[in-house]
Amino acid sequence: MHIPDGFIAPQVYGPAYGVAGVLWAAGLRRLRRTLEPSVMPRLAVVTAAAYVLMLVAIPLPGGTTAHITGVGMLAALFGAWQAFLSLSLVFLIQALALGDGGVTSLPVNALCVGLGGGLAARAGLLLRPRAVGVFAAGWLGAAVPALLVALVLGWQPHLARDGAGQPLYFPFGWQLTVPAIVLPHLLVGIADGAVALAAWRALGRGTP
Amino acid sequence: MPPTRRFRLIPGAVTVLGLLLALGVPAARAHGVRTEVLAGPTSVVTVTHDDGSPLADTPFTVLAPEGAGPFLTGRTDAHGRVAFQPDRPGAWKVRVAGADGHGAVVTVAVDSAALAAPATGATVATHHAHEHDHAHDEAHVHADAHAHDHAHDHDHAHTRDRWSGAIAGLLLLLLVLGVGGVLLRRRRG
């Protein structure tokens, strides 16, 4: 689900950096006030698990692959803000250490997957019984970011074209990106839900 | 968190992360995309998944330096290759993109010497910088024993790079979160 460099127009990633920058600063300020130091070991382990889980490619019908993001697990255990900040850090390190994703696409990935996924996962947590809510958090944490990424990518050909009318960045519109990206992640969401549920059972009892 | 639970967390976490890394890094080879560029009178960009399987039949666009409109469009061949003949020096861009968001944008640096070289001359650059101490020519695209050995070595080198990158990234992540935890603890006194 990581968008690589070169697929997003500057008129999108420029403002996205502005929005994400404000949210990163606000999120850090909020966490400095509210996060208990005793939670940090668990947070480090779960963030590291999300990083590693993203390395595991799940083969899908049609020859493509997708991966778990762990955003539902992070949001269920620590909240949407922490999911956003943790995933942003993971995306930055993946871009620098592995070349996955990209530096220009970093804020788009962080906003779509970290923030969009985190908020969707928290909405899923409202479902009862609690185990169903946690599974829904994991599933929505995969499905909603996939939709957001598909919408952003499908927007690019409408935004930037050359003199001959050819797309300058990502070339496919929504009619192709939405099914190509969202449908596989409806399946991947099942794995994300199972991981969120397992993490919540192991570490999350008593979390708000 | 009670101390006993914290002490259980650490060995458990190390075990789980180690298992996931062992499973994840080889599997991740199939998810990323790598590129190889031969810049010359006939320039060839080869795009493969990290496991070496080609991004075949995927739409591509070749953009000339400061050119208006695409120089060439089409679909990659069965080996994930794009071939074009640049008509001027400069930074050419090749964009290979599937509708599912997989793909890459590659810059092909073509200089005057490369353009003037014989048709079989080319210089090679890969997404992962490795030393190439022998000249490649367009026979590179033909599968022969040497090409197989070379691809095999390339895959091994790539797996090593992937492992070292993944572990370095994990350590960096834990370092950042560890420093954050220390600062938070200090702030709270």
Side-chain angles (χ1 to χ4, degrees):
Chain A
M1 207 187 307
H2 296 50
I3 304 173
D5 279 332
F7 281 8
I8 300 289
Q11 54 267 47
V12 172
Y13 69 70
Y17 254 114
V19 172
V22 169
L23 292 173
W24 285 327
L28 283 172
R29 263 203 309 276
R30 179 188 162 90
L31 287 178
R32 272 211 308 264
R33 283 199 319 270
T34 59
L35 190 67
E36 286 301 320
S38 61
V39 174
M40 281 304 287
R42 262 189 301 172
L43 176 60
V45 167
V46 177
T47 304
Y51 166 84
V52 176
L53 281 168
M54 278 195 223
L55 296 176
V56 181
I58 301 171
L60 292 168
T64 189
T65 59
H67 59 79
I68 290 173
T69 63
V71 65
M73 166 177 70
L74 276 160
L77 291 171
F78 304 105
W81 276 108
Q82 193 52 59
F84 171 55
L85 292 175
S86 289
L87 263 291
S88 299
L89 178 63
V90 167
F91 289 144
L92 175 65
I93 288 175
Q94 285 185 332
L96 298 177
L98 294 167
D100 291 351
V103 175
T104 58
S105 55
L106 173 67
V108 178
N109 286 326
L111 290 170
C112 290
V113 184
L115 188 64
L119 291 172
R122 291 304 289 189
L125 273 183
L126 298 174
L127 291 176
R128 292 291 181 270
R130 191 57 186 257
V132 172
V134 173
F135 181 86
W139 189 82
L140 287 169
V144 171
L147 178 62
L148 295 174
V149 165
L151 291 176
V152 170
L153 281 175
W155 189 26
Q156 302 311 303
H158 302 286
L159 275 177
R161 290 177 178 270
D162 62 19
Q166 295 295 317
L168 283 172
Y169 301 97
F170 190 76
F172 301 108
W174 294 305
Q175 73 278 14
L176 289 177
T177 58
V178 170
I181 298 173
V182 174
L183 292 179
H185 285 87
L186 300 182
L187 290 175
V188 171
I190 296 171
D192 244 317
V195 165
L197 193 56
W200 179 72
R201 289 208 159 126
L203 299 168
R205 300 247 181 230
T207 52
Chain B
M1 188 189 315
T4 50
R5 190 165 176 191
R6 193 179 309 161
F7 286 121
R8 280 208 309 271
L9 176 65
I10 292 167
V14 169
T15 306
V16 169
L17 290 176
L19 284 172
L20 284 173
L21 260 182
L23 173 71
V25 172
R29 298 177 65 234
H31 192 63
V33 166
R34 61 177 156 143
T35 58
E36 185 169 299
V37 178
L38 285 86
T42 299
S43 295
V44 181
V45 174
T46 307
V47 188
T48 54
H49 292 290
D50 270 339
D51 64 351
S53 62
L55 256 79
D57 197 30
T58 304
F60 74 79
T61 304
V62 177
L63 299 164
E66 300 163 15
F71 181 78
L72 182 68
T73 59
R75 300 180 85 91
T76 56
D77 71 7
H79 299 282
R81 291 180 309 218
V82 175
F84 65 100
Q85 294 188 313
D87 58 1
R88 72 199 94 155
W92 291 70
K93 285 205 169 171
V94 177
R95 182 185 65 212
V96 179
D100 62 358
H102 286 155
V105 180
V106 182
T107 300
V108 182
V110 178
D111 57 25
S112 304
L115 276 182
T120 55
T123 55
V124 176
T126 59
H127 178 65
H128 301 279
H130 299 306
E131 284 296 322
H132 287 270
D133 56 2
H134 55 282
H136 286 252
D137 58 27
E138 286 178 297
H140 170 83
V141 299
H142 298 296
D144 60 9
H146 283 295
H148 265 294
D149 289 347
H150 177 71
H152 198 62
D153 292 346
H154 221 88
D155 285 347
H156 278 301
H158 181 72
T159 305
R160 278 198 305 275
D161 285 354
R162 191 81 191 171
W163 264 105
S164 53
I167 291 169
L170 182 60
L171 293 176
L172 182 59
L173 184 72
L174 292 173
L175 178 68
V176 170
L177 290 167
V179 169
V182 169
L183 292 175
L184 191 65
R185 200 174 286 275
R186 275 194 189 163
R187 186 181 165 85
R188 299 288 169 84

